[in-house]
């Protein structure tokens, strides 16, 4: 099944309720995460983008009001979407909480694989599909040792992608590794990379 924008229900957004958002916001504050870009996290996202061969990779922290990409990789060849009004859409450091697929990963607390988001009515109407041309997504939660889901590690492409089991294992193991590094930075003051 493909997304059909001409159908009345085609634009229904079903962002899940996030009851942990206030506690997550406090935890992110304790860790000093989600308020500024971090070069080490940009580098981590860059390595993940190279490993998976995608134009976009993000380390995304989600608080009560927004999503913040403290780690962001946009390849120089990343497509730019021209909107109907002639302006160009470029993925920045922030997204609204109801944009993208990471809020679903955070609430579900497990990885999400969307080989072609247009195949899923729940996701096809998401603004990132039209705003940035995102057609494929792979993301895993960043769950720390307290059990708190801090955000996500994710990759996205403007083309459908068969992620397969290897893609799923890559994103899950990379997310687990990043959480370990974030916690070592907190406890031992060690650098992320």
């Amino acid at each position: 099944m493909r997304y059909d924008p001409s159908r009345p229900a085609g634009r229904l957004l079903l962002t899940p309720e996030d009851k942990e958002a206030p506690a997550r916001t406090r935890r992110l504050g304790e860790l000093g995460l989600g308020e500024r870009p971090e070069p080490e996290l940009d580098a981590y996202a860059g390595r993940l983008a190279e490993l998976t061969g995608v134009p976009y990779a993000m380390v995304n922290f989600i608080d009560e009001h927004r999503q913040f990409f403290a780690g962001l990789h946009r390849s120089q060849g990343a497509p730019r979407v021209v909107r109907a009004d002639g302006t160009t859409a470029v993925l920045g450091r922030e997204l609204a909480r109801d944009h993208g697929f990471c809020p679903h990963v955070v609430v579900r607390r497990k990885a999400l694989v969307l080989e072609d988001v247009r195949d899923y009515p729940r996701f096809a109407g998401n603004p990132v599909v039209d705003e940035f041309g995102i057609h494929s997504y792979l993301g895993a939660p960043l769950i720390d040792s307290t059990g708190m889901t801090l955000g996500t590690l994710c990759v996205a492409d403007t083309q459908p992608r068969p992620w397969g089991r290897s893609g799923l294992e890559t994103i899950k193991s990379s997310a687990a590794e990043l959480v370990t590094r974030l916690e070592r930075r907190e406890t031992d003051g060690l650098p992320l990379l």
Side-chain angles (χ1 to χ4, degrees):
M1 171 186 264
R2 289 258 182 223
Y3 167 65
D4 180 359
S6 66
R7 293 179 54 192
R11 287 268 178 225
L12 182 61
L13 291 177
L14 301 171
T15 303
E17 181 181 3
D18 185 358
K19 294 179 181 179
E20 286 188 342
R24 179 180 317 103
T25 300
R26 284 190 299 279
R27 180 70 176 134
L28 289 170
E30 291 168 4
L31 295 170
L33 296 171
E35 291 297 321
R36 66 188 180 288
E38 298 199 26
E40 290 176 305
L41 294 177
D42 285 344
Y44 197 88
R47 283 199 303 280
L48 183 61
E50 185 176 322
L51 179 66
T52 57
V54 298
Y56 301 108
M58 290 80 66
V59 178
N60 185 9
F61 298 115
I62 302 175
D63 65 23
E64 291 178 273
H65 307 291
R66 66 183 176 135
Q67 301 177 66
F68 184 76
F69 301 128
L72 175 62
H73 172 82
R74 291 178 298 237
S75 68
Q76 289 189 326
R80 296 182 184 267
V81 175
V82 179
R83 298 179 181 125
D85 65 3
T87 60
T88 302
V90 177
L91 183 65
R93 292 276 179 181
E94 290 188 32
L95 274 181
R97 285 186 50 86
D98 63 347
H99 285 47
F101 313 109
C102 293
H104 297 271
V105 173
V106 166
V107 171
R108 290 166 29 120
R109 300 176 60 86
K110 61 183 183 177
L112 178 61
V113 179
L114 299 171
E115 293 182 347
D116 188 338
V117 298
R118 298 166 299 178
D119 288 341
Y120 302 90
R122 177 178 192 156
F123 300 115
N126 196 287
V128 299
V129 176
D130 293 331
E131 289 265 333
F132 306 110
I134 301 298
H135 289 171
S136 187
Y137 172 88
L138 179 63
L142 298 170
I143 302 173
D144 73 5
S145 61
T146 71
M148 178 61 62
T149 304
L150 303 172
T152 65
L153 180 64
C154 63
V155 294
D157 201 343
T158 57
Q159 302 297 320
R161 293 182 65 97
W163 297 108
R165 181 170 298 282
S166 65
L168 178 61
E169 291 306 317
T170 296
I171 200 72
K172 288 169 63 175
S173 64
S174 296
E177 175 190 4
L178 181 56
V179 168
T180 299
R181 290 172 182 243
L182 288 169
E183 290 187 322
R184 278 197 330 232
R185 180 172 82 169
E186 177 191 27
T187 58
D188 303 330
L190 296 175
L192 283 174
L193 305 177

